Amino acid sequence: MVEEAKLDSKLKPMPNDNLLFGERALSAGAAAFISAVIVNPLDVVKTRLQAQAAGVPYQGSCRLGCFEANNSTVVNDIRSNSSPGVCRITGSASVCTESHYKGTFDVFYKIIRQEGFSRLWRGTNASLALAVPTVGIYMPCYDYFRNIMEEFTAEKSPTLTPYVPLVSGTIARSLACISCYPVELARTRMQAFKGTRRDVKLPGVWKTLVDVINPVKGSNNGQNYRMLWSGLGAQLARDVPFSAICWSILEPTRRSILSLMGEKPTAGCIIGANFTAGFVAGAVAAAATCPLDVAKTRRQIEKNADRAMTMTTRQTLAEIWRDGGMRGMFSGAGARVGRAGPSVAIVVSFYEVVKYGLHNFHQQ
């Protein structure tokens, strides 16, 4: 009987059936807000490394104006009014050592020195505009699908119950991703391209999206609105496996930890169990899906409208492998893992402890 009770406690989630969808969404949105602000610098670093691998020209100390990816070319200095300088690019690698990022810490150093400390939070407004509604949809939908599926499999096919977190996370993430994709596109572009001067205000979310639709000033083609969804396939190809891997690790891990803490764990125990499980699950899932994240970034920063609409994830991955091999496939991996672990841990632990508090409030 004792063993059965322990097994049952590992299978059952924390009781929260009395919470409304709006309460769950509010809890998730608040968790996403905190996480987005804390980990945004790592997101910027990761995107810069991946954009560099894709051959994005940076207008800064290297003073690049235009470029031809995969071709050796000389580009003129368009930033300075003094005598033009030149910088040779071979493939996607620049010989300008001043703007070439060598790793995660080098990106931090050069962004702070060349652009200012505040640029580490470049795209935070887009991150918040993305994270709050996305997580607000994602987490409550995950709870909803998980509870329904676990109830069904427990009665009809208990052997399928361990796979419920994987399926629930996949469905919930797909819904959230499709709903909020244009803001994700704007955020990636805002983080990828480097500013020329510290005192110049860079485009915000709305201006970035307008530039996506109308890359040439004065053009107004209705077909261009499709550009807001360019790279969605790569986004889903990254987020769906990430979510599946993450929840497959997170759910059983946190339930195992909570089962060791008795039938009525405290708020501190809930935070600890969820933070630990979320950190491990987020880091593992981020490392496993890094090549898909590189492909997603490369597709989202593509400024050639025709190419952006015809690129596929498979073609992009093949291009990344051809240009950079295994190193190119995992460019920005350190920053991505360093961001995903704390991000998932913060979101899940905050979300669950707020649900716990609301559940106890309703019980009174």
Side-chain angles (χ1 to χ4, degrees), residues 80-97:
S80 176
N81 292 325
S82 58
S83 59
V86 296
C87 180
R88 181 169 297 278
I89 299 177
T90 304
S92 60
S94 169
V95 300
C96 176
T97 58

Side-chain angles (χ1 to χ4, degrees), residues 55-78:
V56 169
Y58 287 130
Q59 298 167 356
S61 53
C62 191
R63 302 187 287 272
L64 302 185
C66 57
F67 77 110
E68 288 289 328
N70 303 321
N71 289 292
S72 180
T73 184
V74 176
V75 289
N76 291 323
D77 177 353
I78 65 169

Side-chain angles (χ1 to χ4, degrees), residues 12-265:
K12 289 183 179 179
M14 289 296 297
N16 50 52
D17 294 337
N18 57 348
L19 299 185
L20 300 175
F21 186 90
E23 292 176 319
R24 296 171 190 265
L26 183 63
S27 303
F33 181 92
I34 295 172
S35 174
V37 172
I38 293 175
V39 303
N40 195 79
L42 282 166
D43 208 26
V44 172
V45 170
K46 177 212 69 166
T47 304
R48 288 288 181 90
L49 287 170
Q50 293 176 352
Q52 175 179 267
V56 169
Y58 287 130
Q59 298 167 356
S61 53
C62 191
R63 302 187 287 272
L64 302 185
C66 57
F67 77 110
E68 288 289 328
N70 303 321
N71 289 292
S72 180
T73 184
V74 176
V75 289
N76 291 323
D77 177 353
I78 65 169
R79 188 191 73 167
S80 176
N81 292 325
S82 58
S83 59
V86 296
C87 180
R88 181 169 297 278
I89 299 177
T90 304
S92 60
S94 169
V95 300
C96 176
T97 58
E98 192 65 23
S99 75
H100 183 78
Y101 299 131
K102 300 174 183 177
T104 300
F105 293 106
D106 189 50
V107 181
F108 273 116
Y109 172 73
K110 286 179 177 175
I111 288 177
I112 293 172
R113 186 167 68 88
Q114 297 172 7
E115 303 174 59
F117 185 76
S118 63
R119 286 294 166 86
L120 289 172
W121 275 267
R122 170 73 175 148
T124 300
N125 55 346
S127 294
L128 294 174
L130 171 70
V132 172
T134 299
V135 179
I137 295 170
Y138 178 39
M139 298 296 287
C141 284
Y142 170 77
D143 277 351
Y144 177 76
F145 290 127
R146 181 200 61 197
N147 292 343
I148 289 179
M149 291 182 186
E150 284 189 343
E151 185 178 343
F152 177 81
T153 56
E155 294 179 1
K156 305 295 183 180
S157 182
T159 56
L160 295 178
T161 301
Y163 302 102
V164 167
L166 185 152
V167 178
S168 302
T170 296
I171 297 173
R173 189 64 191 180
S174 298
L175 290 174
C177 179
I178 293 171
S179 301
C180 306
Y181 181 75
V183 183
E184 164 68 24
L185 177 65
R187 183 187 67 146
T188 301
R189 290 200 172 208
M190 289 170 69
Q191 293 177 340
F193 299 106
K194 177 179 176 181
T196 58
R197 294 165 55 188
R198 296 190 184 199
D199 57 345
V200 175
K201 185 177 180 181
L202 298 177
V205 178
W206 180 253
K207 180 63 166 61
T208 301
L209 290 176
V210 170
D211 289 342
V212 171
I213 298 172
N214 299 315
V216 179
K217 191 173 182 180
S219 66
N220 189 15
N221 185 352
Q223 292 286 336
N224 289 346
Y225 283 95
R226 293 174 56 203
M227 285 291 295
L228 292 176
W229 304 95
S230 62
L232 176 60
Q235 178 82 14
L236 289 171
R238 181 201 71 171
D239 282 8
V240 170
F242 176 90
S243 188
I245 295 169
C246 183
W247 285 111
S248 296
I249 298 172
L250 193 155
E251 196 68 65
T253 302
R254 72 175 174 186
R255 292 185 186 181
S256 296
I257 296 173
L258 288 171
S259 68
L260 302 174
M261 301 178 180
E263 294 185 4
K264 293 184 178 181

Side-chain angles (χ1 to χ4, degrees), residues 272-304:
N274 281 281
F275 192 92
T276 302
F279 193 97
V280 173
V284 172
T289 58
C290 189
L292 296 169
D293 185 59
V294 176
K296 185 232 30 155
T297 299
R298 184 166 293 200
R299 289 190 64 183
Q300 289 180 332
I301 63 177
E302 177 58 54
K303 288 198 167 184
N304 184 308

Side-chain angles (χ1 to χ4, degrees), residues 275-348:
F275 192 92
T276 302
F279 193 97
V280 173
V284 172
T289 58
C290 189
L292 296 169
D293 185 59
V294 176
K296 185 232 30 155
T297 299
R298 184 166 293 200
R299 289 190 64 183
Q300 289 180 332
I301 63 177
E302 177 58 54
K303 288 198 167 184
N304 184 308
D306 294 333
R307 177 173 161 79
M309 296 305 300
T310 57
M311 290 171 71
T312 66
T313 301
R314 172 184 269 183
Q315 291 172 343
T316 306
L317 286 171
E319 181 181 285
I320 294 168
W321 178 263
R322 184 182 66 247
D323 292 346
M326 187 63 70
R327 185 172 183 176
M329 298 287 274
F330 285 88
S331 59
R336 173 166 164 77
V337 171
R339 173 198 177 280
S343 179
V344 174
I346 293 168
V347 168
V348 174

